[in-house]
Amino acid sequence: MRNHLFLYLVLMVAVTCRLLPASAQKLNMDKEQADKFVYETLNNNLSNVFDIEPVKVNPAKLVKTDERSVYVLRGDYYQSQTLRSDCYVRKNRNNYLVISDRRFPLETFTNQLLNKVQCGHVLQVKHHQYGQKIPVLKTSLQSLFAMFLPTMKPFVSVTHVDKDEIEAVLVFHHPKLDFIHMLILKTQTDGLLKKGNVVYGDFYTNIPQDNLKSILDR
């Protein structure tokens, strides 16, 4: 993102909203209860048993990238064309492999955050809850998927990558109830394929939606 401070300020306003139509797959919760429910369910849950999502590649629908033999399998977008569910694959002879390779950090991190490839990341994030409570939450990425993916759709935007660090935004959107959970994440680039690699950042839960496009495009 070009302006993280602006995003933080907007989200801090958003999370002061008291009432939600529904939250964390639970009905009849206000925001304080819903945030607490997410925290208590995920904190110190380091399970890695949630299955990755299988990827079916139709070569006719692939889009070539600037990287040799690397293609984008187009998905959907949420609010902004930069926040997408695209998967990255690499052609190897007559096969297409979902990318999990240290040579392609952007593609690898995107695929990991969309649950397209297995990874061993541990999240250590500041959980911004109702009432300006900000406890640190520690959980596995797979535990996050197990809680949200059955009913929510993930979208990713890698916002920065160099040889030292990679940053991304991960959004889970509930299409029927129209609220999101959002994570702003960063980790060491050389840790993407290491089991137990720690990903740091900020976690905003149960955000009612109006329009994020003006935020994400700044």
Side-chain angles (χ1 to χ4, degrees):
M1 294 239 168
R2 299 190 188 105
N3 193 334
H4 283 180
L5 178 59
F6 177 82
L7 179 58
Y8 290 149
L9 292 174
V10 172
L11 287 174
M12 289 307 293
V13 172
V15 296
T16 60
C17 298
R18 175 76 179 181
L19 297 176
L20 295 175
S23 188
Q25 293 78 59
K26 292 279 187 177
L27 295 174
N28 301 319
M29 282 188 176
D30 64 23
K31 188 173 190 321
E32 182 176 13
Q33 294 169 327
D35 287 347
K36 184 178 180 181
F37 173 75
V38 171
Y39 180 83
E40 292 180 347
T41 303
L42 289 175
N43 194 40
N44 292 320
N45 185 344
L46 301 179
S47 171
N48 271 317
V49 298
F50 192 70
D51 292 336
I52 62 172
E53 182 181 343
V55 176
K56 295 181 180 179
V57 177
N58 181 349
K61 295 185 178 181
L62 295 176
V63 178
K64 187 73 175 70
T65 71
D66 293 335
E67 296 280 358
R68 182 180 178 182
S69 299
V70 173
Y71 296 83
V72 178
L73 182 60
R74 285 294 188 192
D76 300 321
Y77 71 91
Y78 177 67
Q79 294 283 356
S80 169
Q81 289 286 348
T82 63
L83 190 60
R84 306 191 58 89
S85 59
D86 297 342
C87 177
Y88 289 92
V89 299
R90 181 169 59 89
K91 187 174 183 180
N92 183 17
R93 297 182 180 179
N94 294 324
N95 295 321
Y96 291 91
L97 306 176
V98 181
I99 294 176
S100 180
D101 190 320
R102 67 180 61 203
R103 294 174 298 173
F104 305 103
L106 181 151
E107 294 84 354
T108 296
F109 201 34
T110 298
N111 288 343
Q112 290 173 343
L113 295 179
L114 292 173
N115 195 37
K116 304 298 187 183
V117 293
Q118 192 70 42
C119 68
H121 293 319
V122 174
L123 303 183
Q124 189 169 308
V125 294
K126 297 176 182 178
H127 185 199
H128 297 257
Q129 300 181 13
Y130 179 83
Q132 300 184 357
K133 300 175 184 177
I134 314 178
V136 174
L137 182 151
K138 186 175 182 180
T139 192
S140 68
L141 186 59
Q142 297 302 115
S143 294
L144 201 75
F145 294 151
M147 185 174 186
F148 297 149
L149 288 189
T151 55
M152 306 184 81
K153 294 184 178 181
F155 299 89
V156 172
S157 175
V158 173
T159 56
H160 173 79
V161 59
D162 59 30
K163 63 182 182 62
D164 297 317
E165 194 170 70
I166 186 166
E167 301 176 9
V169 174
L170 170 61
V171 167
F172 295 94
H173 176 236
H174 199 300
K176 292 184 179 180
L177 302 176
D178 201 24
F179 70 91
I180 68 168
H181 307 304
M182 175 180 280
L183 297 99
I184 302 173
L185 303 171
K186 64 180 179 180
T187 192
Q188 297 299 306
T189 305
D190 64 5
L192 289 178
L193 299 182
K194 296 179 181 178
K195 185 177 180 179
N197 176 62
V198 180
V199 179
Y200 299 93
D202 293 271
F203 187 22
Y204 302 87
T205 46
N206 306 302
I207 307 170
Q209 282 316 280
D210 293 316
N211 193 319
L212 282 181
K213 189 175 188 304
S214 60
I215 303 172
L216 295 168
D217 286 342
R218 286 176 180 267

